[in-house]
């Protein structure tokens, strides 16, 4: 059984954290610990797979990042606590819905 590592990363730019999550996922194996990352992001809009650039209105000087996740346009900024569960749900024998419910509880 692996342990759960919790990381408080503070205020971070979105893109380096997103890339770090991709690297973490790509490099893990069956013995890797699961992790939960907590952070806040500097102001950014993310465009998910279901978005289109015309969904953005007057972004000003806030950066826009196209990402490989579902969803449409999402704003992230200081004061919003982001929780990123990097959990092997197959190994934990749970589904996405069960994970989300557990995190909400």
């Amino acid at each position: 059984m692996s342990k759960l590592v919790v990381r408080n990363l503070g205020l971070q730019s979105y893109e380096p954290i997103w890339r770090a999550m991709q690297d973490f996922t790509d490099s893990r194996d069956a013995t890797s610990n699961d992790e939960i990352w907590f952070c806040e992001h500097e102001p950014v809009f993310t465009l998910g797979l279901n978005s289109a650039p015309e969904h953005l209105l007057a972004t000003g000087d806030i950066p826009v990042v196209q990402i490989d996740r579902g969803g449409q346009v999402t704003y992230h900024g200081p004061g919003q606590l982001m929780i990123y569960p990097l959990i092997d749900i197959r190994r934990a024998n749970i589904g996405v819905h069960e994970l989300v419910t557990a995190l909400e509880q």
Side-chain angles (χ1 to χ4, degrees), residues 86-100:
L86 302 167
I87 296 173
D88 184 340
I89 61 175
R90 288 185 198 105
R91 180 175 61 198
N93 198 28
I94 61 173
V96 173
H97 180 73
E98 289 174 279
L99 174 62
V100 170

Side-chain angles (χ1 to χ4, degrees), residues 2 5 7 10 18 22 28 30 36-37 39 41-42 46 48 52 56 60 64 68 76 81 84 86-87 97 102-103:
S2 68
V5 176
R7 299 186 190 279
W18 174 50
Q22 291 171 322
R28 47 183 322 173
I36 297 179
W37 296 0
C39 68
H41 291 300
E42 295 170 359
T46 58
L56 289 171
V64 177
D68 61 353
H76 302 280
L81 177 63
Y84 295 113
L86 302 167
I87 296 173
H97 180 73
L103 290 169

